[in-house]
Amino acid sequence: EAGASVLLLRACLALLASPIYLLSFLGMWEPFCRKVFFPFILEKICVIHDKKSKKHKQELFRNLPDFRGPSGVLRLLEIGTGSGANFQFYPPGCKVTCTDVNPHFQEGLAKSMKKNQHLQYEKFLVAAGEDLSQVPSGSVDAVVCTLVLCSVHSVSSTLSEVLRVLRPGGAFYFLEHVAAEHSSWRYFWQQVCFPTWKLVFAGCCLTRELWKNLEEAKFSELNIQHISLAIPWMPIEPHIVGYGVK
């Protein structure tokens, strides 16, 4: 029964979004989405998401200084930096390397860097989470990834790369939206929205159970908390937040 309703509602949603499906079919949506639409819409969503997640992020990043290397400097790599929404939470003097698969966030990123001059910005790499080959193994103290694991091609490859670039004793910090409880209405709507959402939001998957991937990865210690961040009209309320130690 639920299966049929999901398919029917998916079809209705696809009909509403048919211009986007047509552009996608013609090969025009993806470049427009990457360059214009996604950076623009993400900035708008981030403003709301940042307000809702601020106290969780303050709490999450509070112990970042504990992971400083022997030199006393914290070398931090952020995967999917976007326009730099997390910079404000990093400790002064922290050396930041930014990576993003999409190079079209430069404008927002430049603004964030100007605002957060308490950090040292090392470099910006155009790289996918699954391939951080430009970053030497064991070279960073902390890796941060927020609202990114939903859209990487392979979560497990990304986590392997995280573990590779971290020094032993380093930490991986995450805050991600995840699948809702399977018996809930929320999960039903996540399933309905899934294909259209994925197309519109540059590959973002609504129903990933990311806590399972994190539990399977080889962290020596893992702290995960399930939280709820209500964002109006968005099927991304359930989140996980926490950190894992290599």
Side-chain angles (χ1 to χ4, degrees), residues 171-212:
F172 171 58
Y173 288 80
F174 53 87
L175 186 149
E176 299 283 344
H177 67 83
V178 291
E181 177 58 51
H182 281 210
S183 58
S184 65
W185 271 110
R186 231 174 248 140
Y187 184 69
F188 174 81
W189 286 113
Q190 284 181 333
Q191 286 182 293
V192 168
C193 297
F194 188 92
T196 299
W197 183 275
K198 189 174 178 182
L199 175 66
V200 173
F201 291 101
C204 170
C205 299
L206 288 171
T207 54
R208 286 188 175 171
E209 300 179 331
L210 295 168
W211 62 92
K212 293 182 177 172

Side-chain angles (χ1 to χ4, degrees), residues 138-170:
S139 65
V140 297
D141 303 306
V143 176
V144 172
C145 180
T146 60
L147 303 185
V148 173
L149 293 177
C150 56
S151 52
V152 296
H153 290 302
S154 163
V155 178
S156 54
S157 309
T158 302
L159 293 176
S160 310
E161 276 292 78
V162 165
L163 284 161
R164 181 185 66 77
V165 302
L166 275 175
R167 63 164 175 82

Side-chain angles (χ1 to χ4, degrees), residues 4-118:
S5 333
V6 165
L7 291 175
L8 179 66
L9 288 165
R10 269 184 184 180
C12 297
L13 200 53
L15 204 59
L16 286 172
S18 54
I20 293 177
Y21 279 91
L22 178 64
L23 288 174
S24 174
F25 177 71
L26 297 172
M28 291 155 72
W29 172 251
E30 216 253 350
F32 170 75
C33 180
R34 280 170 65 92
K35 275 188 189 154
V36 183
F37 177 79
F38 193 57
F40 170 79
I41 200 80
L42 199 66
E43 206 174 316
K44 302 286 173 259
I45 294 172
C46 272
V47 170
I48 304 166
H49 194 275
D50 289 348
K51 276 188 189 135
K52 300 269 182 188
S53 63
K54 187 165 187 175
K55 64 175 200 300
H56 294 290
K57 283 188 179 179
Q58 283 168 333
E59 182 61 32
L60 173 64
F61 294 127
R62 215 176 46 194
N63 68 346
L64 257 176
D66 299 353
F67 292 99
R68 279 193 287 242
S71 64
V73 175
L74 181 75
R75 296 158 308 165
L76 185 147
L77 171 83
E78 181 163 359
I79 298 176
T81 310
S83 49
N86 293 324
F87 292 165
Q88 55 178 310
F89 302 106
Y90 299 160
C94 174
K95 290 190 170 180
V96 183
T97 298
C98 306
T99 72
D100 207 295
V101 73
N102 186 347
H104 302 290
F105 284 105
Q106 303 294 21
E107 202 180 309
L109 194 59
K111 262 190 234 161
S112 288
M113 285 177 168
K114 212 177 242 145
K115 249 192 236 157
N116 294 281
Q117 297 191 355
H118 65 292

